[in-house]
């Protein structure tokens, strides 16, 4: 993602579906901050500091094709912090040491400032690729001063992996994606959600309840200690900003510097059901931005000179794919997934527009290459969805009455049809979740309790609507917001915006923050390329995947 921008250069990201707290569903409080968990965390931290991390060569299972200098290891954390001497699980960690090389002055040796730990979001995304970002030009000054550290959170990858269904059955294509589903289709999806929740319980057993954000924050403190850091320098993107906010509220004296990029709304009333509704509404606005851009480049894509005509072309493609899947694999669901990623990253706009244009003009090849399920990534994708679902379902109460979901999403889909129902189906297992729920932590810090935090946000971010960044800034006293105006890419730190990167570098390298909230002009719009013949459509194998599950 790119920070969500990072992974365009360095790996893959399963981005957030933001969600929130509802009416309906009696919450439990397992795992909520308490004396037992507090003592358990202190014990695990002391144990980790004594043990450290035995970094060695990365295996293909740890980090495929890891470059020279990358080192991998593990850190042990309790499955249940209330019982720190009980079952322990191992989290995989990757690191590239600080280079000490000033990219602007080869004679200057840059002093090391410690470890910079990164979480890319999800929940369910692995940060193991993060250290590789140090080779990218925009990151070389930061890589000179910091050991770049990534890790796979609990449940992800080789970190006590979680699974809810057979990965061989994960990609079911072609699939439907009705913007206004029938009653029979809704009943089908309810049945699927119930089956998925049962599968999570059957495969994880009693451990299922311990995959949650509070434990993720505790794990982060154990990782800090294992790295030998007295205070944590942390950067989180998307869901990683909520993790960072929890850490800041739970361990404020353990924070050195913290960057929260594409901040989610930490209001307990938004975790997680209501944030999903907010997100679906925001994706409609971003879809409108994309259609407007396509219409302005009708000379390239021939999809219509108005957003309404572009929408008709998209609807035509959905209808055709419902009648006959492209390449036998791409139906309306796969089309929707491919275009959803354009809501995350505007640098995906040219390839998606070109593929749609090619399909409507008789060439399905580019769309098939772009949107067809990839069996070789099924295990990773299934694992990511399982962790995403478990964490969000465990984190907070959800409506348990289907009629509440039906009412809320039917109303929203009348004005925001692009993503509303697909977002609802993704999260519907939480209505039937078999594990106890928590009450979300009321994230807030008072003046002087926490070092100043930098919050980054794009004004038209759909995956993390801008209101969330404003709320995050209000709740973390002394934090400063850097806004990319009139832009919507999810994850802006370390991307192509020099203004944003200047603030990011100044903060991480010197601790300097803008005196007041800062505003940066938007990055340039994508350059239209490709057309009806499908030219310019790229394989996006190393791009951030977006939330496609």
């Amino acid at each position: 993602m790119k920070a969500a921008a990072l992974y365009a250069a360095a790996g893959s990201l399963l981005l957030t579906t933001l969600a929130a707290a509802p009416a309906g569903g009696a919450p439990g409080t397992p795992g909520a901050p308490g004396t037992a968990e507090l003592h358990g965390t202190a014990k695990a931290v002391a144990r980790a500091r004594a043990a450290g991390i035995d970094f060695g060569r990365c295996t293909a299972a740890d980090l495929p094709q890891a470059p020279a200098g990358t080192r991998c290891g593990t850190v042990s954390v309790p499955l249940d912090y209330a019982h720190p001497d009980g079952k322990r699980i191992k989290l995989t960690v990757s690191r590239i040491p600080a280079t000490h090389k000033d990219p602007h002055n080869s004679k200057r040796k840059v002093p090391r400032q410690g470890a910079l730990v990164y979480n890319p979001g999800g929940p369910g995304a692995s940060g193991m690729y993060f250290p590789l970002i140090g080779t990218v030009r925009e990151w070389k000054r930061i890589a000179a001063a910091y050991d770049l550290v990534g890790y796979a959170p609990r449940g992800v990858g080789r970190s006590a992996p979680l699974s809810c269904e057979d990965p061989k059955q994960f990609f079911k294509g072609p699939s439907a994606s009705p913007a206004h589903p029938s009653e029979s289709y809704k009943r089908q999806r309810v049945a699927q959600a119930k089956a998925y929740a049962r599968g999570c319980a059957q495969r994880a057993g009693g451990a299922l309840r311990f995959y949650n954000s509070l434990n993720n924050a505790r794990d982060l403190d154990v990782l800090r200690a294992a790295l030998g850091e007295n205070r944590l320098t942390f950067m989180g993107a998307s869901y990683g900003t909520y993790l960072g906010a929890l850490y800041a509220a739970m361990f404020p004296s353990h924070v050195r510097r913290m960057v929260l990029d594409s901040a989610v709304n930490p209001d307990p009333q938004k975790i997680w059901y209501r944030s999903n509704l907010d997100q679906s509404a925001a994706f409609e606005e971003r879809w409108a931005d994309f259609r407007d851009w396509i219409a302005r480049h009708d000379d390239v894509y021939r999809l219509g000179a108005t957003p309404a005509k572009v929408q008709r072309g998209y609807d035509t493609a959905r209808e055709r794919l419902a009648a006959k899947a492209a390449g036998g694999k791409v139906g309306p669901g796969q089309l929707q997934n491919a275009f959803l990623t354009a809501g995350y990253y505007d640098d995906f706009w040219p390839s998606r527009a070109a593929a749609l244009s090619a399909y409507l003009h008789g060439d399905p090849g580019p769309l098939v290459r772009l949107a067809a399920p990839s069996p070789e990534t099924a295990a990773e994708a299934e694992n990511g969805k399982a962790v995403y679902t478990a964490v969000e379902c465990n984190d907070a109460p959800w409506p348990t009455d289907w009629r509440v979901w039906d009412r809320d999403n039917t109303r929203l889909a009348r004005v925001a049809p692009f993503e509303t129902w697909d977002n609802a189906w993704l999260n519907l297992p939480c209505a039937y979740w078999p594990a106890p729920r928590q009450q979300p932590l009321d994230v807030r810090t008072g003046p002087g309790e926490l070092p100043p935090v930098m919050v980054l946000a794009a004004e038209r971010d759909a995956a993390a609507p801008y209101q969330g960044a404003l709320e995050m800034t209000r709740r973390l006293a002394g934090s400063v917001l850097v806004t990319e105006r009139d832009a919507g890419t999810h994850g802006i730190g370390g991307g192509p915006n020099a203004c944003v990167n200047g603030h990011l570098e100044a903060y991480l390298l010197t601790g300097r923050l803008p005196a007041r909230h800062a505003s940066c002009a938007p990055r340039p719009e994508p350059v239209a390329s490709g057309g009806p013949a499908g030219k310019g459509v790229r394989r996006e194998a190393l791009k951030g995947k977006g939330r496609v599950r």
Side-chain angles (χ1 to χ4, degrees):
M1 121 166 179
K2 301 187 166 170
L6 296 182
Y7 273 51
S12 66
L13 174 67
L14 301 174
L15 290 163
T16 331
T17 299
L18 308 181
T29 57
T35 302
E37 288 82 11
L38 186 64
H39 289 326
T41 305
K43 189 167 189 176
V45 162
R47 200 157 47 203
R49 184 175 291 279
I53 300 176
D54 185 15
F55 282 106
R57 185 175 180 177
C58 298
T59 67
D62 292 326
L63 194 60
Q65 300 177 328
T70 313
R71 292 293 180 263
C72 293
T74 61
V75 59
S76 292
V77 299
L79 176 67
D80 176 5
Y81 277 92
H83 299 91
D85 295 322
K87 181 177 180 180
R88 300 179 202 173
I89 58 178
K90 290 184 177 181
L91 311 184
T92 57
V93 185
S94 59
R95 182 184 69 177
I96 292 182
T99 67
H100 301 291
K101 297 177 181 177
D102 186 338
H104 305 302
N105 182 355
S106 60
K107 296 181 180 180
R108 176 175 177 263
K109 185 177 176 64
V110 177
R112 178 181 178 273
Q113 294 198 37
L116 171 60
V117 178
Y118 179 76
N119 181 285
S126 172
M128 290 292 287
Y129 281 96
F130 171 66
L132 280 61
I133 203 67
T135 62
V136 175
R137 177 175 56 85
E138 289 84 357
W139 284 85
K140 286 188 174 181
R141 290 192 67 203
I142 295 170
Y146 287 95
D147 299 347
L148 301 184
V149 177
Y151 73 106
R154 62 170 59 202
V156 178
R158 299 181 68 203
S159 298
L162 194 63
S163 174
C164 292
E165 61 181 316
D166 184 350
K168 294 178 181 177
Q169 305 300 318
F170 182 73
F171 283 131
K172 302 178 180 71
S175 61
S177 179
H180 302 286
S182 65
E183 291 303 313
S184 62
Y185 184 80
K186 291 177 183 178
R187 288 192 295 270
Q188 175 187 341
R189 295 308 300 252
V190 167
Q192 291 175 1
K194 291 178 178 178
Y196 187 83
R198 287 195 302 271
C200 295
Q202 290 166 358
R203 286 175 170 252
L208 184 62
R209 65 192 292 175
F210 300 112
Y211 293 87
N212 59 63
S213 293
L214 291 174
N215 279 340
N216 285 341
R218 296 175 182 119
D219 291 347
L220 188 57
D221 203 45
V222 176
L223 174 59
R224 171 196 61 79
L227 290 168
E229 301 290 325
N230 291 326
R231 293 190 297 157
L232 177 71
T233 302
F234 174 79
M235 182 169 181
S238 199
Y239 164 80
T241 67
Y242 182 60
L243 170 61
L246 289 178
Y247 186 88
M250 294 165 68
F251 308 103
S253 65
H254 296 181
V255 175
R256 177 178 178 267
R257 291 173 192 157
M258 180 174 286
V259 179
L260 304 180
D261 187 0
S262 299
V264 308
N265 194 326
D267 184 343
Q269 295 303 312
K270 296 288 186 180
I271 308 297
W272 287 112
Y273 178 76
R274 291 192 180 102
S275 280
N276 270 306
L277 299 174
D278 292 347
Q279 189 188 48
S280 294
F283 268 113
E284 194 68 27
E285 295 182 4
R286 197 61 183 150
W287 171 229
D289 292 344
F290 185 23
R291 287 185 287 120
D292 179 70
W293 178 86
I294 295 173
R296 286 188 278 110
H297 296 288
D298 186 47
D299 58 327
V300 177
Y301 299 115
R302 290 169 34 205
L303 288 169
T306 67
K309 289 181 178 178
V310 174
Q311 180 69 57
R312 284 197 291 273
Y314 184 80
D315 292 341
T316 297
R318 286 168 68 115
E319 292 168 5
R320 290 183 187 175
L321 291 169
K324 182 181 179 181
K329 299 177 180 179
V330 177
Q334 288 67 46
L335 176 73
Q336 174 70 13
N337 285 341
F339 274 74
L340 178 63
T341 59
Y344 283 96
Y345 306 111
D346 57 12
D347 58 357
F348 282 8
W349 287 6
S351 63
R352 272 58 180 170
L356 177 63
S357 177
Y359 174 74
L360 291 174
H361 289 88
D363 178 10
L367 182 60
V368 172
R369 290 192 293 272
L370 200 64
S374 174
E376 60 269 21
T377 64
E380 179 187 358
E382 190 280 324
N383 171 237
K385 178 182 176 181
V387 177
Y388 165 84
T389 306
V391 170
E392 294 214 349
C393 294
N394 285 332
D395 269 3
W398 291 74
T400 57
D401 186 343
W402 159 246
R403 291 173 295 182
V404 174
W405 294 71
D406 195 17
R407 178 199 67 200
D408 292 345
N409 288 281
T410 297
R411 288 174 178 171
L412 183 57
R414 293 185 186 124
V415 294
F418 176 70
E419 173 59 8
T420 293
W421 280 111
D422 278 2
N423 205 356
W425 306 136
L426 174 68
N427 294 285
L428 189 56
C430 294
Y432 312 106
W433 198 241
R437 319 303 181 87
Q438 300 173 356
Q439 286 286 7
L441 185 67
D442 187 14
V443 171
R444 60 179 74 244
T445 61
E449 294 177 0
L450 178 74
V453 170
M454 174 172 282
V455 180
L456 306 179
E459 212 168 26
R460 298 186 65 77
D461 189 339
Y466 187 66
Q467 184 61 36
L470 298 176
E471 184 69 16
M472 182 73 80
T473 307
R474 282 193 292 267
R475 285 172 172 265
L476 299 180
S479 61
V480 171
L481 174 62
V482 176
T483 299
E484 187 178 21
R485 300 188 312 273
D486 300 319
T489 285
H490 186 59
I492 62 175
N497 193 313
C499 171
V500 172
N501 293 341
H503 289 299
L504 176 66
E505 280 191 0
Y507 175 63
L508 286 178
L509 297 178
T510 71
R512 188 175 73 248
L513 283 166
R516 306 175 62 180
H517 296 328
S519 178
C520 292
R523 68 193 66 198
E525 281 194 336
V527 176
S529 61
K535 295 179 181 178
V537 178
R538 307 184 306 273
R539 293 288 290 181
E540 307 285 4
L542 294 180
K543 291 285 187 179
K545 293 179 186 175
R547 198 209 68 233
V548 298
R549 19 192 216 287

